[in-house]
Amino acid sequence: MTTIEIQGNKRTETGKRGSRIDRNSGLIPAVLYGGKDVVHFSVKPSDVKHLIYTPDFKLAELNVDGNKSRAILKSIQFHPITDEVIHIDFLRLIDKTPVKVEVPLRFKGVSPGVKVGGKLIQQVRKIKIKTTPEYIVDELKADISKLDLGQSLRVRDIITPNGIEIINNPATPVALIEIPRALKAAAAAEAKAEKGAKKKK
């Protein structure tokens, strides 16, 4: 599990005015909630870029004026025009307290359908899970080693580690082995030839 260390400074002034002051200083207003205390602080954009701009799931190790907390990124607000990050919400991780997070779905194994020319289409890239901090994972893996041409894998086919509950609909397809047009055309031509041969008999 990758953890990003983030230095934060406690905000002396909150609300819109405080947020405006932070942004004018090149900082991002942030809040940490979960547990007893809600902490308002600010961070440098460079400190959070590897947490935000990545397809991977990572934890945050927040250090706000010497007080450390393990947390996850809960939500981000972007400026509607510039796409700059204007606010971040973090959720504190508390032992044995369930949290819901989205983690990447990756595949393992080699599909027989791909071996004969099929194309693997990933239909779901992230899976929502419910777990506790001690069981949290940075990804889930689905086995595609039995997928043949035209077959699909669904959420219910994903094997989960202990302590992990998938929230997505079990029937949702996550991967499909697409049959290329060339293979479809070849199969159709072969079927037509076989039909013609039977008629001649």
Side-chain angles (χ1 to χ4, degrees):
M1 177 72 68
T2 303
T3 301
I4 304 295
E5 293 186 8
I6 298 170
Q7 296 292 325
N9 294 311
K10 206 163 185 178
R11 298 169 64 197
T12 54
E13 188 170 352
T14 56
K16 289 184 179 180
R17 185 175 183 276
S19 295
R20 188 165 58 249
I21 291 171
D22 285 338
R23 292 180 192 123
N24 289 340
S25 301
L27 300 173
I28 303 171
V31 63
L32 171 66
Y33 60 94
K36 295 178 181 179
D37 303 323
V38 176
V39 182
H40 296 271
F41 62 103
S42 57
V43 295
K44 294 178 182 177
S46 58
D47 285 351
V48 294
K49 67 179 182 180
H50 295 300
L51 187 67
I52 295 172
Y53 303 107
T54 175
D56 300 325
F57 176 77
K58 299 176 182 180
L59 298 181
E61 179 76 40
L62 298 176
N63 186 339
V64 181
D65 294 343
N67 295 315
K68 294 185 178 182
S69 301
R70 271 205 322 157
I72 58 171
L73 193 62
K74 198 62 181 174
S75 66
I76 312 165
Q77 291 179 32
F78 294 93
H79 191 282
I81 297 173
T82 64
D83 271 346
E84 287 182 22
V85 178
I86 58 174
H87 194 275
I88 304 174
D89 282 358
F90 290 94
L91 176 64
R92 184 186 283 109
L93 292 177
I94 302 169
D95 288 345
K96 298 181 180 178
T97 300
V99 291
K100 294 177 182 179
V101 298
E102 280 192 329
V103 297
L105 175 66
R106 298 196 167 99
F107 300 125
K108 63 179 181 179
V110 179
S111 159
V114 170
K115 282 184 178 180
V116 295
K119 184 179 180 181
L120 173 64
I121 305 295
Q122 184 166 358
Q123 295 168 298
V124 172
R125 298 199 172 274
K126 287 192 174 182
I127 296 292
K128 194 168 187 177
I129 63 172
K130 182 180 179 181
T131 185
T132 52
E134 52 268 35
Y135 291 111
I136 204 163
V137 294
D138 56 3
E139 66 178 15
L140 287 180
K141 288 188 176 180
D143 188 357
I144 59 169
S145 60
K146 294 180 181 179
L147 280 189
D148 215 330
L149 289 171
Q151 292 185 334
S152 62
L153 199 71
R154 300 183 184 274
V155 167
R156 60 171 165 259
D157 300 317
I158 302 171
I159 305 299
T160 55
N162 287 336
I164 303 290
E165 177 190 346
I166 294 179
I167 299 173
N168 301 64
N169 187 327
T172 302
V174 296
L176 167 71
I177 306 301
E178 188 177 74
I179 306 173
R181 288 180 183 177
L183 284 179
K184 285 181 180 177
E190 188 177 336
K192 189 175 180 181
E194 285 182 5
K195 193 175 180 180
K198 285 179 181 178
K199 281 185 177 180
K200 285 180 180 179
K201 287 181 180 179

